[in-house]
Amino acid sequence: MSRHRALRTKVRRGIATWPVAIVALVVLVVLGWLGWSWVGGILERRAAAQAGECNEGEALLRVSATPNVAEAVKQVAEAWSKQRPVVYDHCIQVEVQSIDSEVVLQGLTQGWDTAKLGERPHAWITDSMLWANRLGAQNATLLGAAPESIAASPVLLALHQEPAQAVQSGAGFRWTDLPDLTSAADGWGRFGHPEWGQFKVAMPDPATNSATAMAVQSALAGASPDGKGPVTTEMLALDPVKSTMSRLASSKPAQTPVGTWEALNQLSGDTAVNAAGFSAVPVFEVDLYRHNTGKDSGTAPAQPLYGVAAGGPTPIADFPFVPLAGDWVGEAQVRASQAFREFLREDDQQKILAGAGLRVDATTERPKPSPGIRWAAVTDMLTPADANTTQQISAAWATADNGQVVTVLVDTSKSMEEPGGEGRSRMDWVKQALSGQVNRSLSGSLGLWEFSRQLDGDKPYRQVVPTGPVAGQRQALLDGVAALKPQSATQLYTSVLALYERMLADHQDGKRNRIVVLTDGVNDGGLTFEQLTSRLAAVKQPGKDVVIDVIALGPDPEREPLTELARSTGGTLSVVEDGRGVDAALGQLLSS
């Protein structure tokens, strides 16, 4: 009996091998089928792409790139196209256009000239986030997604070899030294050469030149708590900061070229210090590399310029990839833009950008030869200002030379009581923006009018503060802004004509005379748009240009007539969906 029980126990504990083998075989078959389906799907999709048999056909991704990176981006685009990418069931082709950032910005916001520029881009690669900030200030709806950096380039000071050696071997140079150096009669004395006279630095307009804008930020950053930035709008209203800005702007050489390329070419013409009217110019490292190697002109200069890396926090150009939005951007372009951006950031593609003189994380290799470039390591970086502050820096610079005469015409209709964001009305945001501009303005003339209905007898407009020098009526302007309050209707066109005629009568020759209109509603009385344009054409006087700029608040402004009104006088239209965007839009307008 005992043997029988033992035998039964042994049999119960055993496991037959054939069921295990069957299960394993089934698993292998299923996994094999799934794997073959996956691989087959990939091969099928690749074959379809290579054969041009995409379900939705082909789609074109147009990318506008700033000239100093366009050639490298084209190489990357060619590499991506060779892979026959399929995005959203479309075979994607990439077209890269080399266009100056200023041209792209103006085209996107004020009307794209297809005859000159081709079709509008779906994405934009520019040299600095400053340009994306400007686009957002004028029309944030054109930004399809948050811009992301694909490369970098530090800002250097470009000089001839002998002065560059003097700066590097002497007391050194920091961007915060600029105000003292450039305003001193013997600035070169600091570097052992008082016989060279002034240390003149060409500073092209920061509203259109990113290298200057970033150099100015660095010069002002010394006033921030740790000296590294960021510069803030509150800082710009401080007297020491305004004094620094005034000194920088006033020391700008009379012969300052309009842009970096012109400045580099002018500086290269004669090796004598200040022979070009200046000794140095801020420049992106990649631009200096391209200049010295003749990448843009086709011929390298006989004597290269030398790049001096300043001590202290260094401003860095971040070369953002900016996805665009609009009725010309389809879902295929949105997805393709994302995919191409990620491809640009892969190591192999980053090395292509590095070979073009840009800095990337994937490699420390630098192009050779690279005369005049040391490729110095950057250990201390400037913390950049936010999107709004960048506009205010350019606006403050624009007012520093006393060259603007501006009258602001503010809509005080009932609709300005509507919510403008963060629990505040549109009027609250407008008043904050105007007060900020008054406090930050360095010089120039500023006046304030309001419009609604029957503000001055039967007139729908009223002069709140006459147009005059800011310095002499700063408090009056602040008080006038504080007193603005929403009232009734929006008689815009009658009010614009009245102010335009006043500006013509008081026109100041040699200065930029401009009207800035802030409005959130449609014209609902008085002159029609056709009557306004006819009257403007009739009263216009040769030699007396008065620009009309418009900032339209709200989700659905009258874009067509407002655009035409601004364009007919050489002005621009900016659109902000709520009051939070008014300050940046106003700064952008005043800086242009």
Side-chain angles (χ1 to χ4, degrees):
M1 290 292 293
S2 61
R3 289 194 298 271
H4 182 65
R5 287 194 298 272
L7 180 61
R8 287 179 64 187
T9 301
K10 184 175 181 180
V11 169
R12 282 182 174 181
R13 291 179 180 176
I15 300 175
T17 59
W18 63 268
V20 175
I22 292 175
V23 171
L25 180 61
V26 171
V27 170
L28 288 173
V29 170
V30 171
L31 290 176
W33 179 81
L34 291 173
W36 176 253
S37 298
W38 178 69
V39 172
I42 291 177
L43 293 174
E44 183 179 350
R45 287 193 295 272
R46 286 182 178 176
Q50 290 171 356
E53 297 175 356
C54 301
N55 293 337
E56 298 296 330
E58 293 195 352
L60 179 65
L61 175 66
R62 290 187 296 273
V63 179
S64 288
T66 185
N68 53 10
V69 73
E71 182 180 346
V73 173
K74 286 179 182 178
Q75 293 181 41
V76 174
E78 290 171 0
W80 197 48
S81 295
K82 287 179 181 178
Q83 297 183 7
R84 298 291 291 165
V86 178
V87 177
Y88 206 57
D89 290 332
H90 288 80
C91 289
I92 302 298
Q93 291 293 321
V94 185
E95 178 183 284
V96 179
Q97 304 166 298
S98 177
I99 308 179
D100 288 332
S101 295
E102 184 179 5
V103 175
V104 175
L105 177 66
Q106 183 176 5
L108 290 173
T109 57
Q110 308 306 320
W112 191 266
D113 190 338
T114 305
K116 290 183 179 180
L117 304 175
E119 295 297 327
R120 286 177 292 187
H122 305 113
W124 181 23
I125 300 176
T126 183
D127 55 30
S128 169
M129 189 66 187
L130 296 171
W131 289 105
N133 292 343
R134 290 169 185 143
L135 178 61
Q138 292 191 51
N139 192 343
T141 63
L142 294 174
L143 293 171
E148 294 186 23
S149 172
I150 62 167
S153 189
V155 180
L156 307 176
L157 197 66
L159 309 94
H160 281 292
Q161 183 175 16
E162 186 178 3
Q165 291 173 340
V167 171
Q168 291 169 333
S169 62
F173 166 75
R174 300 171 70 95
W175 292 110
T176 50
D177 297 334
L178 271 182
D180 290 336
L181 277 175
T182 57
S183 60
D186 60 345
W188 274 109
R190 172 176 171 173
F191 304 107
H193 290 278
E195 73 277 8
W196 289 349
Q198 286 184 275
F199 190 95
K200 296 182 179 181
V201 179
M203 303 282 277
D205 188 353
T208 57
N209 187 277
S210 299
T212 297
M214 298 174 76
V216 171
Q217 270 197 51
S218 296
L220 299 177
S224 62
D226 60 2
K228 295 184 178 181
V231 179
T232 65
T233 54
E234 292 77 15
M235 285 172 54
L236 295 176
L238 300 176
D239 288 338
V241 177
K242 289 197 289 187
S243 175
T244 298
M245 181 76 83
S246 294
R247 292 166 64 198
L248 271 176
S250 62
S251 62
K252 182 179 66 175
Q255 301 92 335
T256 296
V258 296
T260 298
W261 298 115
E262 293 84 355
L264 293 174
N265 290 333
Q266 195 168 319
L267 190 59
S268 294
D270 193 328
T271 59
V273 175
N274 287 331
F278 51 91
S279 311
V281 61
V283 59
F284 292 143
E285 184 179 64
V286 63
D287 287 339
L288 185 58
Y289 163 72
R290 294 182 66 83
H291 170 80
N292 286 346
T293 55
K295 295 290 184 183
D296 292 284
S297 64
T299 304
Q303 296 293 329
L305 298 173
Y306 286 74
V308 173
T314 299
I316 304 290
D318 52 0
F319 286 84
F321 185 101
V322 186
L324 299 175
D327 56 11
W328 70 94
V329 184
E331 185 64 26
Q333 282 80 22
V334 171
R335 301 284 185 90
S337 179
Q338 295 170 350
F340 184 54
R341 179 193 63 203
E342 294 309 309
F343 187 74
L344 274 162
R345 298 175 67 179
E346 292 178 2
D347 285 357
D348 287 345
Q349 281 53 255
Q350 290 279 283
K351 291 174 182 177
I352 293 176
L353 298 178
L358 294 158
R359 299 200 181 199
V360 298
D361 293 333
T363 181
T364 57
E365 291 293 319
R366 307 298 183 211
K368 298 178 182 179
S370 51
I373 311 291
R374 299 174 63 191
W375 308 107
V378 177
T379 58
D380 198 5
M381 292 185 289
L382 173 76
T383 303
D386 64 27
N388 181 28
T389 305
T390 58
Q391 313 308 320
Q392 309 312 331
I393 292 172
S394 295
W397 181 276
T399 67
D401 62 358
N402 200 32
Q404 290 208 66
V405 180
V406 180
T407 304
V408 181
L409 179 62
V410 181
D411 183 347
T412 53
S413 63
K414 202 68 175 175
S415 58
M416 292 291 281
E417 289 181 334
E418 293 183 8
E422 299 182 12
R424 304 173 64 187
S425 70
R426 293 171 177 174
M427 180 58 77
D428 288 337
W429 286 106
V430 167
K431 290 164 74 170
Q432 178 179 305
L434 291 173
S435 296
Q437 291 298 329
V438 172
N439 282 322
R440 293 187 295 265
S441 293
L442 302 179
S443 63
S445 294
L446 185 63
L448 178 65
W449 284 37
E450 64 174 326
F451 73 95
S452 179
R453 177 183 289 171
Q454 294 181 331
L455 293 179
D456 183 8
D458 291 334
K459 297 177 182 177
Y461 52 86
R462 183 175 72 91
Q463 177 182 270
V464 180
V465 181
T467 304
V470 174
Q473 58 177 20
R474 203 180 299 271
Q475 190 57 52
L477 286 164
L478 292 173
D479 292 342
V481 169
L484 295 173
K485 59 181 181 180
Q487 300 190 49
S488 57
T490 309
Q491 293 195 10
L492 171 60
Y493 299 148
T494 300
S495 305
V496 167
L497 178 63
L499 180 51
Y500 186 86
E501 291 175 334
R502 174 67 66 86
M503 294 287 285
L504 282 177
D506 298 337
H507 190 274
Q508 296 187 36
D509 295 338
K511 297 185 178 182
R512 187 169 179 81
N513 295 255
R514 67 198 312 171
I515 296 169
V516 176
V517 180
L518 286 155
T519 183
D520 76 336
V522 298
N523 182 69
D524 56 8
L527 295 177
T528 65
F529 180 71
E530 291 73 18
Q531 290 171 328
L532 171 63
T533 54
S534 176
R535 294 284 296 277
L536 287 177
V539 301
K540 188 174 183 180
Q541 299 177 27
K544 290 188 176 183
D545 292 330
V546 177
V547 172
I548 300 176
D549 295 309
V550 182
I551 298 176
L553 289 78
D556 191 27
E558 287 190 311
R559 287 176 183 263
E560 188 172 343
L562 293 177
T563 299
E564 180 57 31
L565 172 62
R567 187 181 299 169
S568 66
T569 62
T572 59
L573 168 68
S574 297
V575 179
V576 294
E577 290 195 345
D578 61 34
R580 290 170 289 191
V582 173
D583 199 16
L586 186 57
Q588 166 66 16
L589 283 182
L590 294 178
S591 67
S592 62

